[in-house]
Amino acid sequence: MDEPMVQKHMETLQTWCGSASTDLGPLDRLTDLLLVEGLTDLQQKQHDFVQTETTKGLRNVCKKIPLEKLFLPLSKVSIPPRVSVTMGVAGMGKSTLVKLFVHSWAKGEIGKDFIFVLPLTFRELNTYDKLSAERLIRLASPHLTELDFLSMGTARTLLILDGLDEFKTPLDFSETVTCTDPRKEIQVDSLITNIIRGNLLQDISIWITSRPIVTSQIPGGLVDRLTEIQGFGDAEIKSLLEHMFVESPDLSTCVLGHLKTNRSLYILCTVPAFCWVCGSAMAYFLKSADQSPETPTVPKTLSEIYSYFFKMALCSDWQGKQKETPRIEQVVNNSKKVLTCLGRLAFYSLIKRKYVFHEQDMKAYAVDLSSLHTSLCNRLLLKEETQFSSIFYFPHLTFQEFLAATYYYTSAKRALFDLFVESGMSWPKLGFLNHFRNAIQRSLQSEDGHLDLFVRFLAGLLSSQVNRVLSDWFLVRDEHHGYRSHAISLLQSLLGNEQAISCRTVNLMQCLHEIQHTEIATGVEEAMRNENLAGMLTPVNCSALAYLLQTSEVCVEEANLSNCLTFRAFQSLLSQLLYCNNLRLDNNQFKDSAMDLLGSVLSGKDCQIQKISLAENQIGNKGAKALARSLMVNRSLMALDLRSNSIGPQGAKALADSLKINQHLLSLNLQNNVIKEDGAKFLAEALLSNHSLMTLLLQKNSVGPQGSKKMAEALKKNWGLKELILSSNCVGDAGSAALAEGLKANHTLLTLDLQSNSISDVGVTALTRALCSNRGLTSLNLRENSISKEGAREIASTLRTNNTLRNLDLAANLLHDEGVQAIALALKENKALSSLHLQWNFVQSKAAKALSQALQFNESLTLLDLQENAIGDEGASALASALQANTTLTDLYLQVALIGESGARALGEALATNTSLATLDLRGNAIGLAGAKAMANALKVNCALRRLNLQENALGMDGAICIATALTKSHRLTYINLQGNRIGESGAKVIADAIRTNAPSCIVKT
């Protein structure tokens, strides 16, 4: 190979890339691409912006592939990809990515396996009708005189074809005539399909970039590697704005703050090009607002953002100049004429899906580029020189859509015929509203939504703010008033007409938002916020709900549709539920037929649901089977809650079978589902092969000792499960003994809940002895069993040696003083336990004294629960003395513990010096006025306490006033409960207001 020729090629490519290394903004996100398995239905059928809005700018968890490994084998046994496709919505940075790769390759930093990298754009190919494969290569490398490398298998070559979405002819692989002659000239689209099929340039690697919707033209079987560009995250959005306004950090911060308050716009800012447009428009607005005597509203819609951006572009050259001069007026008028011609070009090209233009297109639409001043041209229309002609294109697809909308808006007022028919006759259409209706109907008929943004902008031009911004250029001031109400009525009449709500329906709601008519959406959102949707979901409101699932802050953490969905409403919303991350559908009386529908959603490639709750419905084994079938293919769901249904053993079997295949589900809640012993057996079998499930909740299922034994056997071989809940399952001593054997082998289970399982000292002895060797369990719940003082001694013995158990719940057993005394002695040696629940254990003052002594040595316990134990004043005083020395206890629960005035005084004295206790609960005692005074004195100096419960303590008005007076000055409390103390309504308000004087966020219950 001719070394000078190779060197010349690299130098040429660096020039082709321009200043790619420095001027392309933050490029970190482009160094890792998402490795995807195929196009989703959304990507194949919806507008780019709709894709971004619907998915909230996020993709399901995907594998990432570094840019330097993009064309390398994924494993030692695989081969490099021949055809690679990288997709990204308009403005995501596909061309930037290509330039980054080429620039890095030319510097020898990346793609070292390639001898040659040959970049071409589809924009360039649009100038040719016919090409041969050899001529195509010469276009990409005109200075290369030798093309022998094309057939050299060892000298790898990469041909880059950037921007398939800008190619003038859709690729049709079904009608392609096979061509194997590299010198034969054929139609360019046929040439591309033959190259992709491998009929031509078989030894060359091909890399194509495209928007997702156009990527679908290439059959998936011909693509060896499909990747996707990541959008901006929070850090990148912030970084870009700081880069844009580097000389004005305050402006950058202000723009970012406004964007974050508008979820819809902020989501779209994950697209870098839109982030730039939005940041520019918002900054222009803020600067203009500072100079305006009025206080204009911050832009909230797409139309407002683009109206300010266009106003900025149109006015930037005239700022600071005297607009009265005839020369300036003439230039402005000329610009208006050019914009009208550009709008016509934009509209009719949009209909034809044409996004790249040549000089003959400009002439056909009378666009006089010479009269378009340079600054405006650079902002709204870009020019690229090719070997034989000039190419023109809008900087972003939305620019074309906005200009198209302005042209349609102004033309519709006087047009006599259908504006969508460029030439030829059509039925007469008179008046703006008829043309508006026609545009909306055509957008609804579009299969891929390519007119969605166009009609949104068209509706937005009817809003007051957009009219005010653009009245000097595209619009007549206040003319929108005559059309707006009729347009709103038309949009509303089209809502609810479809049995299933589609993205087109949601776009109608977006149009109402652009036109600033938000009454429907606001009403439904308020009902969602108050969990009051029941009976409201008419077809129109279902459309509003679908829109809110994408845009409302109420749905960010969780879309709560509990107790409100009828089967029909659920059916209509199905396609929109796909994109909710966290979905709650509790108590909707769903039966098995609803699960058939939901299963189809969970089986979809587009599904983004990560958590779904179906608690308290009427789902039987057939419904569970439908869900199980979907779990075999679903890759997004991580948590499934089916508590309080009736799936039974067979439903459990179906779910268990799916868990043998599904390795993505992390949490499964089958509480109260009558799965019984057989159901537990099926699930245990699944756990032998499934190592991804981390939480399994099976309480109230009557699994019995035999079911527990099967679970224990699974624990010996399963290393993935972290939490197992078996409360209220009749486990008994036999089941406990089996689980103990499982714990001897399993060191990864963290939580075991055996509450209310008729476990006696025999069972607890087996469990605690297992904990002597177990090195994993951190939480054990033995509440509501039959453990006596003998069992407590076994527990104490274990606590002396176990150093992993953090939380132990022994509430509602039969420990008595002797049992708790044994545990207290062990706590002097234990250095791991942080939480101990001893509620309702017939404990009295002796045990409290023993615990007090332990607390003076123990440095790990942070929570002690002794509620509903008769420890009395003597026990409270003992604990108080411990609080004066202990510095680790943060939560102490002493509800209903027979504590009176003297116990309260002792606790008050302790609180005056204690610096660690954050929660003290004394509900249901009788500390009275004297106790209240003691607490008040402590509160004046204590800085650690955050939560104090003095409910039902016979404080009276005087006692409450003492507490309130102590808290009128600065305090740290975030919660205080004084209910049930005979304060009265008027007194309660005065006291609450007094407490909140210096802590307005403090929750006061009176």
Side-chain angles (χ1 to χ4, degrees), residues 779-851:
S779 295
L780 177 61
N781 185 355
L782 293 170
R783 177 185 287 253
E784 297 173 15
N785 281 290
S786 303
I787 305 168
S788 72
K789 56 188 178 183
E790 284 76 16
R793 291 190 184 101
E794 292 290 339
I795 293 170
S797 177
T798 297
L799 289 177
R800 287 188 173 91
T801 58
N802 181 285
N803 59 7
T804 56
L805 196 67
R806 300 287 184 269
N807 307 299
L808 178 60
D809 193 337
L810 296 171
N813 278 286
L814 306 167
L815 303 187
H816 294 279
D817 277 358
E818 294 88 336
V820 174
Q821 283 174 315
I823 290 173
L825 284 172
L827 288 178
K828 291 182 179 181
E829 301 177 37
N830 181 281
K831 297 180 179 180
L833 199 69
S834 61
S835 171
L836 178 61
H837 291 269
L838 296 170
Q839 173 189 1
W840 199 14
N841 258 295
F842 306 100
V843 170
Q844 296 183 5
S845 60
K846 289 182 180 179
K849 291 177 181 178
L851 288 167

Side-chain angles (χ1 to χ4, degrees), residues 581-753:
N581 289 334
N582 189 351
L583 190 57
R584 184 171 293 279
L585 302 173
D586 300 344
N587 197 22
N588 277 308
Q589 300 181 18
F590 286 159
K591 298 182 180 178
D592 293 342
S593 55
M595 295 306 99
D596 287 330
L597 295 176
L598 184 58
S600 67
V601 170
L602 292 172
S603 301
K605 191 185 294 185
D606 287 17
C607 182
Q608 291 194 344
I609 302 173
Q610 296 180 3
K611 297 180 181 179
I612 187 166
S613 178
L614 293 160
E616 300 178 10
N617 282 290
Q618 299 171 22
I619 303 167
N621 70 82
K622 290 183 179 178
K625 289 176 181 177
L627 292 172
R629 286 192 295 271
S630 69
L631 286 178
M632 291 185 178
V633 295
N634 179 281
R635 296 190 177 186
S636 68
L637 196 67
M638 294 188 291
L640 174 60
D641 187 347
L642 286 169
R643 62 193 149 86
S644 299
N645 282 286
S646 305
I647 70 168
Q650 290 306 306
K653 181 181 186 304
L655 290 168
D657 289 341
S658 71
L659 288 176
K660 295 175 183 177
I661 297 173
N662 182 298
Q663 296 294 325
H664 300 274
L665 194 71
L666 303 180
S667 174
L668 178 61
N669 188 343
L670 297 179
Q671 173 185 345
N672 193 22
N673 263 287
V674 207
I675 70 168
K676 300 185 178 178
E677 178 184 316
D678 287 343
K681 172 186 172 184
F682 297 134
L683 289 165
E685 290 175 358
L687 290 176
L688 295 175
S689 58
N690 182 298
H691 297 286
S692 60
L693 193 71
M694 299 177 67
T695 301
L696 181 59
L697 284 67
L698 297 177
Q699 56 265 54
K700 296 183 181 179
N701 268 300
S702 303
V703 304
Q706 294 304 313
S708 302
K709 289 179 181 178
K710 292 295 182 182
M711 282 290 163
E713 290 300 315
L715 286 178
K716 293 178 182 179
K717 298 180 180 179
N718 180 289
W719 313 119
L721 199 66
K722 305 301 180 189
E723 182 178 8
L724 177 60
I725 311 296
L726 290 172
S727 57
S728 302
N729 264 304
C730 306
V731 170
D733 290 335
S736 297
L739 289 166
E741 292 300 313
L743 289 175
K744 289 178 181 178
N746 182 298
H747 299 284
T748 54
L749 188 73
L750 302 178
T751 299
L752 178 61
D753 189 333

Side-chain angles (χ1 to χ4, degrees), residues 878-942:
L879 291 170
S881 65
L883 289 177
Q884 292 179 335
N886 181 282
T887 58
T888 56
L889 197 71
T890 58
D891 301 275
L892 180 59
Y893 295 90
L894 299 174
Q895 300 101 306
V896 195
L898 298 182
I899 300 173
E901 294 179 359
S902 61
R905 287 195 196 96
L907 288 168
E909 291 173 4
L911 286 176
T913 58
N914 180 279
T915 58
S916 62
L917 198 70
T919 299
L920 177 60
D921 195 331
L922 292 171
R923 176 177 57 86
N925 287 288
I927 69 171
L929 176 59
K933 289 180 179 179
M935 288 292 147
N937 290 332
L939 290 173
K940 292 177 182 177
V941 294
N942 182 284

Side-chain angles (χ1 to χ4, degrees), residues 330-344:
Q330 182 181 358
V331 174
V332 170
N333 289 331
N334 287 340
S335 293
K336 288 181 180 179
K337 292 176 184 178
V338 173
L339 287 171
T340 301
C341 297
L342 272 179
R344 188 164 176 264

Side-chain angles (χ1 to χ4, degrees), residues 391-420:
I391 297 173
F392 301 90
Y393 55 95
F394 294 102
H396 190 253
L397 175 60
T398 49
F399 285 50
Q400 183 172 347
E401 291 165 318
F402 187 79
L403 276 172
T406 60
Y407 166 77
Y408 192 89
Y409 178 92
T410 54
S411 300
K413 292 179 290 185
R414 59 181 182 274
L416 301 178
F417 297 97
D418 188 349
L419 285 168
F420 279 83

Side-chain angles (χ1 to χ4, degrees), residues 415-562:
L416 301 178
F417 297 97
D418 188 349
L419 285 168
F420 279 83
V421 180
E422 185 175 9
S423 58
M425 296 299 292
S426 69
W427 290 104
K429 286 188 182 297
L430 301 175
F432 175 83
L433 292 171
N434 278 323
H435 288 286
F436 183 81
R437 180 185 292 106
N438 185 37
I440 297 295
Q441 288 173 339
R442 284 182 180 265
S443 74
L444 292 174
Q445 292 164 4
S446 170
E447 292 184 0
D448 60 6
H450 86 288
L451 295 176
D452 280 2
L453 261 289
F454 162 74
V455 294
R456 273 199 224 175
F457 285 138
L458 182 60
L461 293 172
L462 293 172
S463 75
S464 298
Q465 187 154 338
V466 172
N467 177 271
R468 183 168 57 253
V469 174
L470 295 180
S471 58
D472 292 335
W473 291 90
F474 299 107
L475 309 178
V476 176
R477 183 173 292 275
D478 296 332
E479 69 174 347
H480 63 290
H481 293 309
Y483 308 131
R484 185 174 180 273
S485 61
H486 296 290
I488 290 170
S489 298
L490 169 64
L491 292 169
Q492 289 179 337
S493 70
L494 295 171
L495 294 173
N497 290 341
E498 295 179 318
Q499 187 174 359
I501 295 172
S502 66
C503 289
R504 301 289 84 70
T505 309
V506 175
N507 201 60
L508 291 176
M509 289 298 305
Q510 295 278 14
C511 288
L512 285 171
H513 175 66
E514 294 292 329
I515 213 170
Q516 296 180 344
H517 180 80
T518 59
E519 283 82 349
I520 299 173
T522 301
V524 175
E525 185 176 40
E526 188 62 27
M528 281 189 75
R529 186 175 283 108
N530 297 327
E531 298 184 10
N532 194 29
L533 275 175
M536 279 189 61
L537 293 182
T538 62
V540 171
N541 284 346
C542 278
S543 300
L545 178 57
Y547 162 74
L548 291 168
L549 290 175
Q550 293 182 15
T551 61
S552 174
E553 293 290 342
V554 178
C555 303
V556 171
E557 297 298 327
E558 177 184 77
N560 189 351
L561 302 180
S562 300

Side-chain angles (χ1 to χ4, degrees), residues 131-381:
L131 283 174
S132 67
E134 282 194 1
R135 192 176 171 202
L136 178 75
I137 296 300
R138 290 193 184 279
L139 285 176
S141 53
H143 54 279
L144 294 180
T145 56
E146 301 175 16
L147 296 184
D148 295 342
F149 65 86
L150 295 179
S151 58
M152 294 171 59
T154 55
R156 289 189 62 202
T157 300
L158 175 65
L159 174 62
I160 304 175
L161 299 172
D162 181 30
L164 176 60
D165 47 285
E166 295 178 327
F167 192 36
K168 63 182 179 182
T169 310
L171 299 184
D172 186 351
F173 285 80
S174 61
E175 298 295 330
T176 300
V177 177
T178 301
C179 176
T180 58
D181 183 356
R183 293 183 174 84
K184 182 179 179 180
E185 294 207 347
I186 56 177
Q187 295 291 330
V188 177
D189 59 317
S190 182
L191 174 65
I192 299 300
T193 54
N194 272 286
I195 290 174
I196 293 173
R197 281 194 182 279
N199 298 326
L200 293 167
L201 306 181
Q202 298 94 331
D203 296 326
I204 287 183
S205 296
I206 311 298
W207 184 23
I208 297 171
T209 68
S210 176
R211 290 167 52 207
I213 201 166
V214 182
T215 302
S216 61
Q217 292 178 11
I218 306 174
L222 298 178
V223 178
D224 301 311
R225 184 164 297 170
L226 181 63
T227 53
E228 185 173 357
I229 299 178
Q230 302 178 80
F232 274 174
D234 292 341
E236 287 90 357
I237 293 174
K238 184 174 184 289
S239 176
L240 178 63
L241 293 176
E242 289 173 349
H243 179 73
M244 289 173 64
F245 311 115
V246 66
E247 296 180 359
S248 180
D250 290 343
L251 181 60
S252 170
T253 302
C254 195
V255 169
L256 182 62
H258 283 302
L259 289 177
K260 282 189 172 181
T261 62
N262 189 317
R263 186 165 180 250
S264 298
L265 293 179
Y266 192 71
I267 286 172
L268 289 174
C269 282
T270 57
V271 179
F274 178 78
C275 187
W276 174 76
V277 170
C278 203
S280 301
M282 193 69 77
Y284 176 73
F285 162 79
L286 292 171
K287 290 177 181 177
S288 302
D290 289 342
Q291 301 170 4
S292 173
E294 303 176 1
T295 308
T297 307
V298 175
K300 296 178 181 178
T301 68
L302 276 176
S303 302
E304 290 171 5
I305 288 293
Y306 278 83
S307 64
Y308 275 107
F309 184 89
F310 271 67
K311 183 70 173 289
M312 174 188 69
L314 294 166
C315 296
S316 60
D317 275 14
W318 321 127
Q319 290 177 352
K321 299 179 182 180
Q322 294 184 352
K323 291 188 179 180
E324 303 82 39
T325 64
R327 188 182 66 83
I328 294 298
E329 283 188 1
Q330 182 181 358
V331 174
V332 170
N333 289 331
N334 287 340
S335 293
K336 288 181 180 179
K337 292 176 184 178
V338 173
L339 287 171
T340 301
C341 297
L342 272 179
R344 188 164 176 264
L345 169 71
F347 174 66
Y348 287 110
S349 299
L350 182 66
I351 296 173
K352 300 169 188 172
R353 303 170 191 267
K354 183 175 181 179
Y355 310 109
V356 178
F357 320 106
H358 298 89
E359 291 182 353
Q360 57 266 35
D361 298 313
M362 296 296 171
K363 291 177 181 177
Y365 288 94
V367 179
D368 182 6
L369 294 173
S370 63
S371 40
L372 192 64
H373 59 274
T374 305
S375 175
L376 183 60
C377 186
N378 289 339
R379 285 188 175 94
L380 303 186
L381 194 69

